[in-house]
Amino acid sequence: MSEQALKIGVLISGSGTNLQAIIDAIDEGRLNCEVVSVLSSREGAYGIERAIEAGIDAHVMARADYDDPYVADAKIVEIMDAAGVDYLVMAGYMRKLTPVVLDAYPNRVLNLHPALLPSFKGAHAIVDAWERGVKVTGVTVHFANEDYDMGPIIAQRAVEIYESDTIDTLEERIHDVEHVLYPEVLQLLAEGRIAIDDEGKVHIK
């Protein structure tokens, strides 16, 4: 990879499958990024083991750290600034970021959402889409801002819901798409091909 690899910090809360997809894409030469720090909002998250195995600087926040979310986010900024990150990447991070982080990295915090925003916002998007009976759902990558799941959309990919699907098979296929789309978007960032206009819309060069 080039010495100009984009430096990213990854925020997780769970198993870290999207983190692993990013690590794999880097290792395979498909993604010109370097994961310089991983932070988990939960103790015992398997994603931390993935980070350690890959030789990545890893941090864990305890539940008590979030008693004051502004103090917690200030700690996140301190850790990520020390690592020299260019972008923050939320990969299954289950806490809402405050302006402390968002203002430190304006239009440089990415989020991955398992639905086609603005439909099915929130933490239960896959189940909500399934229960609503829609025939197409999908995955959205967007910049995070103070409006939950409402930041500028970077990319979306549809996932058709089949008659033969169960909620488990649908969730698996959505995650499969996430693991492809997120590294693709990060590569666009690494190539300097993503821009936001004055109206807050994202354009791919």
Side-chain angles (χ1 to χ4, degrees), residues 17-77:
T17 59
N18 277 294
L19 168 63
Q20 190 64 57
I22 291 168
I23 292 170
D24 291 346
I26 293 169
D27 289 345
E28 294 165 9
R30 296 183 285 111
L31 177 55
N32 191 19
C33 288
E34 178 187 0
V35 181
V36 294
S37 188
V38 172
L39 183 143
S40 173
S41 67
R42 286 180 50 245
E43 298 172 286
Y46 185 65
I48 288 296
E49 294 187 33
R50 296 181 191 271
I52 293 171
E53 184 175 340
I56 300 168
D57 182 49
H59 302 265
V60 177
M61 303 272 279
R63 181 185 292 270
D65 292 332
Y66 288 95
D67 287 345
D68 185 331
Y70 289 88
V71 172
D73 279 8
K75 184 175 181 180
I76 292 172
V77 171

